[in-house]
Amino acid sequence: MAPSIILLFSGKRKSGKDFLTDHLQHELKDRCEVIKISAPIKSHWAKEKNLNLNELLSHSEYKEQYRLEMIRWSDSVREKDYGYFCREACSHASAKPIWIVSDIRRKTDIRWFKETYKDLIKTIRIVADEETRIKRGFQFQDGVDNVASECDLDDYDEWDLVINNGEGRLPVQEQLNPIHQLLSKL
Ligand SMILES: Nc1ncnc2c1ncn2[C@@H]1O[C@H](COP(=O)(O)OP(=O)(O)OP(=O)(O)O)[C@@H](O)[C@H]1O
Ligand SMILES: C[C@@](O)(CCOP(=O)(O)O)CC(=O)O
């Protein structure tokens, strides 16, 4: 069964994608399913290199050691099939009315979702100033922070919602209010 709405979240490293989508999931409970495009990438990498999948899926420093290699490998797959990981991630989603995709990174991700699910798509950008991201552990890495994985959506300007999760941010319930307003129109 197709969902009634698909929320695509994007944001730079340590902007708070997981933090906000975890809160949203907590509020929506079993009405929603959280989908991560990086999940099939991390599963593949864990199997190939005999790594700890749970650590790769967590917020830990562990995954940062492999980020550059995972970006390079996943981009080589995307060159042949830009929708590969989006399709793979969605294929495991269950029949919930609201899908939360927590890690949109490339224009081709948005293209695949819009081609596949048409007007069910809403795009949400999470922004946070660099100082706040640094306080959360962000450290610039060449090959990671200056490539498509982190920068391709910097000039995308058709977001349905933009949420500030940096300096001056609202309390989390208020940050999520505009999303509940979107959902109330369903
Ligand atoms: N509004 C907030 N208030 C308090 N802590 C926050 C907030 N937003 C994020 N954080 C904390 O900042 C850290 C980074 O957030 P999170 O993991 O959600 O970022 P991310 O965008 O998913 O990062 P990455 O892309 O590197 O995985 C986490 O420890 C998280 O708990
Ligand atoms: C390899 C990659 O999927 C890692 C994403 O890790 P995370 O969403 O930051 O936990 C990033 C990418 O696909 O460019």
Side-chain angles (χ1 to χ4, degrees):
M1 195 179 77
S4 309
I5 190 165
I6 303 178
L7 306 173
L8 303 184
F9 284 82
S10 148
K12 287 181 170 290
R13 288 211 285 150
K14 307 296 177 202
S15 60
K17 299 179 291 296
D18 286 335
F19 180 87
L20 289 175
T21 53
D22 285 352
H23 269 271
L24 186 60
Q25 180 182 29
H26 184 72
E27 292 182 5
L28 296 172
K29 302 199 169 65
D30 56 5
R31 289 171 68 207
C32 77
E33 169 88 13
V34 175
I35 295 168
K36 292 188 188 292
I37 297 175
S38 61
I41 300 172
K42 291 173 179 176
S43 304
H44 172 90
W45 210 250
K47 240 181 261 162
E48 277 295 295
K49 310 268 170 184
N50 203 19
L51 303 178
N52 183 326
L53 178 58
N54 286 334
E55 284 288 311
L56 286 181
L57 291 169
S58 78
H59 304 280
S60 75
E61 267 307 298
Y62 182 84
K63 74 175 171 192
E64 301 305 331
Q65 297 171 40
Y66 303 100
R67 186 182 289 274
L68 181 60
E69 284 179 280
M70 290 195 292
I71 290 173
R72 288 184 177 157
W73 171 77
S74 63
D75 275 343
S76 72
V77 175
R78 285 183 187 96
E79 267 169 37
K80 291 174 220 116
D81 178 1
Y82 65 85
Y84 182 86
F85 298 112
C86 299
R87 193 181 313 111
E88 184 61 22
C90 290
S91 72
H92 301 289
S94 60
K96 301 272 175 69
I98 303 164
W99 284 4
I100 297 169
V101 184
S102 68
D103 58 349
I104 289 295
R105 294 174 174 278
R106 294 164 175 83
K107 292 187 185 80
T108 50
D109 295 337
I110 297 179
R111 177 172 155 199
W112 184 85
F113 274 95
K114 289 204 167 173
E115 281 167 356
T116 309
Y117 295 105
K118 316 256 165 2
D119 52 4
L120 299 189
I121 302 303
K122 298 286 176 198
T123 56
I124 302 166
R125 179 74 161 176
I126 300 171
V127 292
D129 55 283
E130 196 165 302
E131 208 180 308
T132 302
R133 292 169 58 219
I134 289 170
K135 281 189 200 142
R136 293 176 184 154
F138 168 70
Q139 277 182 304
F140 181 89
Q141 193 187 342
D142 191 31
V144 168
D145 293 294
N146 50 1
V147 300
S149 174
E150 285 296 311
C151 303
D152 197 40
L153 291 173
D154 285 357
D155 63 352
Y156 184 80
D157 58 5
E158 293 169 41
W159 303 106
D160 291 296
L161 282 176
V162 178
I163 299 177
N164 174 28
N165 191 38
E167 181 73 23
R169 65 186 174 276
L170 298 170
V172 66
Q173 275 75 19
E174 286 175 50
Q175 285 176 305
L176 298 178
N177 263 345
I179 300 178
H180 289 297
Q181 277 166 25
L182 272 181
L183 299 175
S184 69
K185 294 185 187 129
L186 285 180

